[in-house]
Amino acid sequence: MQLKYKMDNLESSIIELEEELKNAQINFDKQQKLLEERLIAIYEAGETRFLDVLLQSKSLSDFISNVYLISEIIKYDNELLESVELEKISIETRKKTLESQQEQLKEARNSSEETEIMLANLKTVKNKYVSQLTLKEQELQTTIEQYNNEIKEIESEILRLTYLNMDSDYSGGIMAWPAPGYTTITSPFG
């Protein structure tokens, strides 16, 4: 019962992990596409250097504005790189967890199958033992019946012999002898 419960938990966990992995992969693909588009834009812009952009500023407010925009672009690029890297690590971790749980489920199923086979073998052995016992019981019953028949034959022979040896004349007093057929006293006491 515990094995079935464990297998059910592993199966539900695997389904959840597969769904999470699917969503993470979709998110990763989107971030990867954004990163590729950003790298293409940087490549197409050529060798524009941030210093050149700053030096082309026409006023102090334009310069401050360009510094702010450049810092935001750098910040965005760094965040995008970090999020792509983190998503990649997250996907790899989930894949490893999924593989581990799938392996555990496989082992649990193998264990379940082995247990079922072992139980089937035990049932077969038990049935064989029971059938052997029934055969032995039948043999013992036959032997008991033979002994009972022999006992009946011996008892009937004893009765037959007792009636044959009995005298038809009664030689006692008012009381009968304790054993029919025996009329001699072997002990002089009393």
Side-chain angles (χ1 to χ4, degrees), residues 147-170:
Y147 287 144
N148 284 336
N149 289 337
E150 288 177 13
I151 289 172
K152 286 180 184 177
E153 287 176 12
I154 292 171
E155 286 177 347
S156 64
E157 184 66 24
I158 291 173
L159 283 174
R160 188 184 65 76
L161 290 173
T162 305
Y163 287 127
L164 285 177
N165 289 335
M166 271 180 83
D167 292 338
S168 55
D169 296 337
Y170 179 67

Side-chain angles (χ1 to χ4, degrees), residues 28-169:
F28 177 75
D29 291 342
K30 286 179 184 177
Q31 290 178 347
Q32 184 75 22
K33 187 175 180 184
L34 280 174
L35 182 61
E36 289 172 1
E37 289 173 358
R38 179 69 185 125
L39 290 174
I40 289 172
I42 290 173
Y43 177 75
E44 288 176 350
E47 296 236 356
T48 308
R49 297 197 176 143
F50 294 124
L51 188 57
D52 292 339
V53 172
L54 292 176
L55 291 177
Q56 290 177 0
S57 300
K58 297 187 176 164
S59 66
L60 184 60
S61 64
D62 195 21
F63 179 80
I64 293 173
S65 205
N66 286 338
V67 167
Y68 176 75
L69 287 175
I70 290 172
S71 67
E72 286 298 310
I73 290 172
I74 291 172
K75 181 180 172 185
Y76 173 77
D77 288 346
N78 286 336
E79 287 175 357
L80 184 60
L81 283 171
E82 285 178 17
S83 68
V84 167
E85 188 62 32
L86 288 175
E87 199 63 40
K88 184 178 178 183
I89 291 170
S90 172
I91 288 173
E92 289 173 1
T93 304
R94 287 180 179 151
K95 281 183 179 179
K96 287 179 183 177
T97 305
L98 180 63
E99 289 171 1
S100 170
Q101 288 187 352
Q102 285 174 336
E103 186 64 30
Q104 288 177 359
L105 180 61
K106 182 180 175 183
E107 289 174 5
R109 284 185 177 150
N110 288 341
S111 176
S112 173
E113 289 172 3
E114 289 173 1
T115 304
E116 287 176 13
I117 290 170
M118 185 175 62
L119 288 175
N121 288 341
L122 285 175
K123 186 176 180 180
T124 304
V125 168
K126 178 188 162 213
N127 289 340
K128 183 179 177 185
Y129 183 68
V130 166
S131 67
Q132 286 177 349
L133 276 180
T134 349
L135 289 174
K136 287 184 180 179
E137 287 174 350
Q138 289 173 355
E139 290 173 2
L140 287 174
Q141 186 64 33
T142 306
T143 306
I144 290 171
E145 288 175 7
Q146 288 174 351
Y147 287 144
N148 284 336
N149 289 337
E150 288 177 13
I151 289 172
K152 286 180 184 177
E153 287 176 12
I154 292 171
E155 286 177 347
S156 64
E157 184 66 24
I158 291 173
L159 283 174
R160 188 184 65 76
L161 290 173
T162 305
Y163 287 127
L164 285 177
N165 289 335
M166 271 180 83
D167 292 338
S168 55
D169 296 337

